[in-house]
Amino acid sequence: MKSNLNLDPDGFAISAYAFIKFMDHEGLLEKISKKMSTLSIDNLEELNKVSKEIQDIIVQTPVPPDLQESVLSAYAKLCKKHGGNQWYRSEAVHPGGQ
């Protein structure tokens, strides 16, 4: 992709397939759906509480071993190519860095 779009610096992306695989791992999607099933969008305090609980569930859920290996391998190649640790950016929580 870099050669076609002339992008710099090098990097890698996590695919939608990997996201779905993570969400299916250990019933994560079901746990989140259960939390949201009784949620009232009119209650801001409840929204904030459930949002935090869902964030905690996601953070505490281990990444599937094969997915973890793939990400760490891609990251190690990036570090080896450019030396040292590299930065990452996620649009998942705050699109556009907002």
Side-chain angles (χ1 to χ4, degrees):
M1 180 182 279
K2 179 181 178 188
S3 60
N4 292 337
L5 299 175
N6 196 25
L7 297 175
D8 196 61
D10 292 331
F12 64 92
I14 305 298
S15 67
Y17 171 79
F19 170 76
I20 291 167
K21 184 173 181 140
F22 174 70
M23 293 299 288
D24 284 342
H25 185 63
E26 294 195 11
L28 186 57
L29 188 57
E30 290 79 19
K31 292 175 187 177
I32 292 170
S33 294
K34 184 177 179 182
K35 289 275 183 196
M36 294 181 66
S37 66
T38 60
L39 188 60
S40 169
I41 61 170
D42 296 322
N43 184 335
L44 187 57
E45 184 176 320
E46 182 183 6
L47 281 171
N48 287 329
K49 178 181 175 266
V50 171
S51 176
K52 174 71 171 111
E53 290 172 358
I54 290 171
Q55 288 176 30
D56 290 344
I57 290 170
I58 292 170
V59 168
Q60 293 170 6
T61 299
V63 176
D66 59 332
L67 183 57
Q68 180 178 1
E69 183 179 326
S70 294
V71 170
L72 292 176
S73 174
Y75 181 74
K77 288 177 186 174
L78 188 62
C79 289
K80 183 176 180 181
K81 182 176 180 179
H82 294 284
N85 292 331
Q86 303 298 313
W87 292 92
Y88 67 92
R89 176 180 173 164
S90 173
E91 295 276 338
V93 177
H94 299 288
Q98 302 293 322

